[in-house]
Amino acid sequence: MITDIFPDVIWQPADIERTSLSIVEEFLRPLQLPPGEKAVVGRLIHTSGDPALAGQVCFHPRAVAAGVAALQRGCHIYTDVSMLVAGINSKQLSRRGGMVHCAVHDPAVAAEAKARGITRAAVAMERFGEKLNNQIVAIGNAPTALFALLGMIRRGLRPALIIGMPVGFVGAAEAKELLMQGEVPYITVRGTRGGSPLAAAAVNALLYLDR
Amino acid sequence: MITDIFPDVIWQPADIERTSLSIVEEFLRPLQLPPGEKAVVGRLIHTSGDPALAGQVCFHPRAVAAGVAALQRGCHIYTDVSMLVAGINSKQLSRRGGMVHCAVHDPAVAAEAKARGITRAAVAMERFGEKLNNQIVAIGNAPTALFALLGMIRRGLRPALIIGMPVGFVGAAEAKELLMQGEVPYITVRGTRGGSPLAAAAVNALLYLDR
């Protein structure tokens, strides 16, 4: 057995999870977060291996409650990147009637993006349109997807929750500051950091809160 | 047009990429890396939005050359997590004859993992077996996948390159230290951080070096 070569390694999934969550718990204790937010921040630290992230995670006061309620009624999740589709626990989601949707690989999206000279992620978000009302939008890559969504919100769109975690040096920090000025519930990571594992972890944390 | 609502946003993919890479270039300059390693570290910073990562990226001296050579001859990429499959530029890879493989969702892997009480990621890695010789193995999630791979290497396996970027507080740092003591070319991120976007970015950086 290969596992015998390293007998000190923790090979069991449940042991790994338990050990990791107890380490994460130590990082969380001094933060004194409400239980729901604590569960989300814990998942983000567990997923990223980076306790320093905790200081950058920001919640709209109704974010966790809005997210859990939306998931309970079987809401869908709309994303900007296929890595997020792969990262969300679709088994837990589909049990409630929800699905994850991502349109960046749709040829019509690619054609429109090329014609307009904008990102596919922004076009994909625009094309979801009114479908996004009362659903969860999870953005783990493209700042332009979040800007497009914020534009749609100015015109009256009302998602149930925005998990706004685009990444990078071009627009991500700015889009997230704008997100935090709005009234739609959000969970975000301030600044240039973000990414699909974080966005997926936030969705999964909400799913597990409702277990 | 939604894009008109935020006229100052950079919406064009090529402009975003150019702007980001020129910001990343500023972070890279003081590091004085060889060109290939610089390209990889640059992609990791671009992807993570986190310049602080640069100090933790470690290369075997032959890593970049080995990776580019393997990709040029159409090598396959074996991964531990489906988010990595989604993140690797499969178009660029398949143009050379390669494919990305991930077996964690194989029911036979799940059954064996359950029976043995170990992670699916470790079983999936073991089952790839000799197929991994002379190929690239990219690990973006499970420390146990990297430990399994290191065990197989002790028994004679020789991948062309290991992109070893598992994440978390249980075994990730230890597995990566062990990886760096070996002779198989590697690219890694020291410590608890890692993740599938980083592992995918490293693969993509090697693909783009060969463009």
Side-chain angles (χ1 to χ4, degrees), chain A residues 1-2 5-6 10-12 20 47-49 83 116-119 144 147-148 151 155 167 170 178 192-193 197, chain B residues 1-2 5-6 10-12 20 47-49 83 116-119 144 147-148 151 155 167 169-170 178 192-193 197:
Chain A
M1 290 284 185
I2 293 291
I5 297 177
F6 302 114
I10 305 181
W11 292 99
Q12 260 209 313
S20 174
T47 296
S48 62
M83 287 183 83
R116 292 171 60 191
I118 68 175
T119 63
T144 52
F147 277 120
R155 296 201 178 158
V167 68
V170 184
L178 208 54
T192 57
R193 292 178 62 186
Chain B
M1 290 281 184
I2 293 292
I5 298 178
F6 302 115
I10 306 182
W11 292 99
Q12 260 208 312
S20 174
T47 297
S48 62
M83 286 183 83
R116 292 171 61 191
I118 68 175
T119 62
T144 52
F147 277 120
R155 298 201 175 159
V167 68
F169 302 102
V170 185
L178 208 55
T192 57
R193 291 178 61 187

Side-chain angles (χ1 to χ4, degrees), chain B residues 125 139 142-151 162 164-166 172 175-176 179:
Chain B
M125 204 47 72
I139 295 173
T144 52
L146 183 51
F147 277 120
L149 180 65
L150 293 169
I162 300 168
M165 304 187 180
K176 290 184 269 187
L179 171 67

Side-chain angles (χ1 to χ4, degrees), chain B residues 176-189:
Chain B
K176 290 184 269 187
E177 290 302 319
L178 208 55
L179 171 67
M180 289 188 277
Q181 290 163 24
E183 285 174 16
V184 175
Y186 62 79
I187 304 174
T188 188
V189 177

Side-chain angles (χ1 to χ4, degrees), chain B residues 113-136:
Chain B
K114 198 170 177 186
R116 292 171 61 191
I118 68 175
T119 62
R120 290 182 299 159
V123 171
M125 204 47 72
E126 257 190 64
R127 283 183 162 231
F128 283 138
E130 297 193 353
K131 281 186 207 162
L132 303 178
N133 276 317
N134 300 313
Q135 310 301 310
I136 294 179

Side-chain angles (χ1 to χ4, degrees), chain A residues 32 71 90 95 106 119 140 175 186:
Chain A
Q32 307 203 325
L71 290 168
S90 53
R95 184 179 296 175
D106 177 341
T119 63
Y186 62 79

Side-chain angles (χ1 to χ4, degrees), chain A residues 18 27 44 49 73 91 122 140 148 177 205 211:
Chain A
R18 196 178 319 115
F27 294 120
L44 296 177
R73 58 171 167 69
K91 199 168 147 190
E177 290 302 319
R211 225 166 2 192

